[in-house]
Structures are given as C-alpha cells and as structure tokens.
Amino acid sequence: MWLKTTQQYEAETHARQRADAEERALRLHPDDVTRWTDVMKAVAPTVRTGARPCDYRPWQAALDAYGRVPHWIGKATLAEGMVAAQLMWMAWDVAQPAWPAPRRDLIDFALTFLEADVMLFRSGYCKKLLLRRLRQAPLAAGDMASLDGLIRRSVARGTGLEEFREYAKLAAKLELDGRLPGLRQWLEAEARGAVITGWEYIEMHTSGLNFEALLEAYGRQRTAFFRYPDFTEMTGRPRPDAASKAKRNAWLILMQIARTERAQGANA
C-alpha cells in the first residue's frame, strides 16, 4: 500500500487551495459573511440546552425553524432543512488558512461562531481552525473582551481537546503580548488545587538532574498525583468532577503560557 508523505499531502492541499482561491473569494464575499454572522446572532438566543454536551439537535432544530421563513443571504436563499449545512459550509470556508487581510467581517464571523458555541456536525474541529485564524489575525482592542470571556469559558466549561489546545495557544499569545491584563492572575487563582500527574510533575521538576536521579524520579513519581501549586503528593487516584476539571484547565493554560514564554526567550 502506497502512503503519502506529509510533504506530498501538504503540497496537494496547497495546490487545491490555490485552484479554489478565486471561487473561495466569491464565496467569502463580505456581504455574505456578514449576513451569515447575522443569522447566528438571530438564532443563538433560540437554541435550547441539549441533553448532552455535544448534542447537535438544538442547533439543528433552531436553524430549521429559522429557515422555514424565506430569508435571502447574499446570492443564496436559506433552504428549508439545509440551513445547518449551509452555515457549516460557510464556516469551513472561513476557517481555512490564508484569510484575505485585513478582513473585519471574517474576524466577526469567527468570534460570533465561537461565542454562540455553534454545535453541529464537525463544528468542534471547525472551532479549532477558527481559533487558529484568530491567533494569526490583526485583532482590534475591542476584540479583547470577547476573547477574554471565551478563554475563561473554556476553563470553566471545558471544550474538546483540540479546540482547548487552540484556546491555550491563543491565551498564551495574547497574555504575553500584554493584551489580556489580569488573565494570568485569574488562571493562577483558578488553578489552585489542580491535580498534576506524575508524568507532568517529572517534566516540570527534573530539568538538570543526572541520569541516575532521573531514573529514581521516574520510578518513584510516575504513577503519583500532586496538587498545584505546592505539589503535595496525594494518596490514591483522584476522581475528577466539574470543579477539578476547571482547575486543571486553568493549569494547562498556565503551562502553555510558560512554554511559549520560554520559546520566546530562547529565540530572542
């Protein structure tokens, strides 16, 4: 079986993106992007809480109800029973790399999609890409309140793993750029009591040890659990609940900030 290399896959992806660039520019006409942003703002207040965290049915039902009344969106009409798919088609187009810059409408779309917490098929992966686009975008001072709220919500409520990693990277960039004053202090307060695994403790506390000391730390601490910030060792395996998950989320973002800070120092 012939397998493509990463370089081959990336080359083919970039070739498809170049071939689609002209059509994508038409699909991302500012009027269309803005109108879909307005659709999300109109529908979000009508979405009911789902039975499960990743329940698509509330957003699907709310968009279906909105689509029963004829609405024009730029060149297209909202198709009854297809509004959710139409929204995700636009979201996927927005989420792809190489935004035409500067595009205020694309930033507003991404922020609205994230703030509304659109929950549809593959919306979690789409949010990950939208967060990456925002990290690369020329954000305005007025965007910071929305992003600060989104980051804090990701700590308190949690997200999918890949989406959360992008929140952590965005938080690190904005905090180290001085654009989110007070975030690190809030994270430190929220992270108190977070459970740290033995592997994570070893990674944090074994730099500079010789080989014998590393082996000793590995054998003694790899299966242990510790409490942040004093790293007192725990007895027994902890049972995670909502509060402990939020503490750990705060700690994970703090660690991303620390890693980013070290990388910037090494590259200075």
Side-chain angles (χ1 to χ4, degrees):
M1 180 179 179
W2 183 74
L3 297 176
K4 295 180 181 179
T5 65
T6 302
Q7 291 80 5
Q8 289 170 325
Y9 177 80
E10 289 179 347
E12 291 179 4
T13 299
H14 293 156
R16 286 195 300 270
Q17 290 171 345
R18 287 193 296 271
D20 185 50
E22 187 173 340
E23 287 295 322
R24 183 177 178 231
L26 294 174
R27 295 193 301 269
L28 291 182
H29 189 281
D31 289 347
D32 295 325
V33 174
T34 299
R35 286 171 181 142
W36 274 111
T37 301
D38 292 340
V39 168
M40 288 188 285
K41 289 178 178 178
V43 171
T46 72
V47 178
R48 297 181 178 180
T49 303
R52 304 184 309 276
C54 295
D55 192 348
Y56 305 150
R57 290 173 296 179
W59 267 93
Q60 183 78 53
L63 288 165
D64 285 347
Y66 187 81
R68 291 190 190 106
V69 179
H71 296 278
W72 288 93
I73 301 292
K75 305 176 185 66
T77 304
L78 294 188
E80 185 174 350
M82 287 292 293
V83 182
Q86 289 177 295
L87 173 58
M88 286 307 301
W89 291 335
M90 175 57 76
W92 277 112
D93 255 338
V94 174
Q96 297 312 303
W99 274 2
R103 284 283 298 270
R104 184 66 235 175
D105 56 303
L106 297 177
I107 293 172
D108 289 340
F109 180 97
L111 287 173
T112 301
F113 194 94
L114 293 165
E115 287 180 316
D117 200 15
V118 175
M119 190 62 64
L120 294 167
F121 179 62
R122 298 200 75 196
S123 59
Y125 188 72
C126 191
K127 290 170 189 173
K128 164 193 169 180
L129 296 180
L130 289 172
L131 285 163
R132 191 172 294 175
R133 301 287 82 78
L134 288 173
R135 183 155 49 92
Q136 299 163 345
L139 298 170
D143 298 324
M144 294 304 110
S146 294
L147 292 169
D148 186 68
L150 285 167
I151 292 165
R152 295 182 190 224
R153 188 181 73 182
S154 75
V155 169
R157 288 172 34 183
T159 68
L161 178 60
E162 294 298 320
E163 182 184 345
F164 184 80
R165 285 174 176 167
E166 289 300 327
Y167 269 117
K169 291 176 183 178
L170 179 62
K173 179 180 187 303
L174 295 176
E175 202 283 331
L176 293 174
D177 286 348
R179 306 197 71 184
L180 292 179
L183 178 64
R184 195 186 301 217
Q185 291 83 350
W186 181 82
L187 290 168
E188 286 284 2
E190 292 296 309
R192 294 190 68 84
V195 175
I196 312 303
T197 68
W199 288 107
E200 291 163 339
Y201 180 86
I202 290 169
E203 182 182 4
M204 294 178 66
H205 291 89
T206 56
S207 60
L209 296 183
N210 60 32
F211 183 71
E212 290 76 12
L214 281 172
L215 283 180
E216 181 183 355
Y218 171 81
R220 182 171 60 84
Q221 295 165 340
R222 64 188 177 85
T223 59
F225 294 91
F226 301 86
R227 290 280 188 192
Y228 181 82
D230 53 1
F231 297 103
T232 52
E233 190 166 348
M234 302 171 62
T235 58
R237 188 180 187 88
R239 294 184 179 180
D241 54 20
S244 63
K245 289 177 182 177
K247 290 177 183 296
R248 182 165 170 79
N249 287 341
W251 179 79
L252 288 169
I253 294 183
L254 283 172
M255 293 304 101
Q256 180 62 53
I257 292 172
R259 283 193 295 271
T260 306
E261 200 166 31
R262 287 195 299 270
Q264 288 181 355
N267 295 329

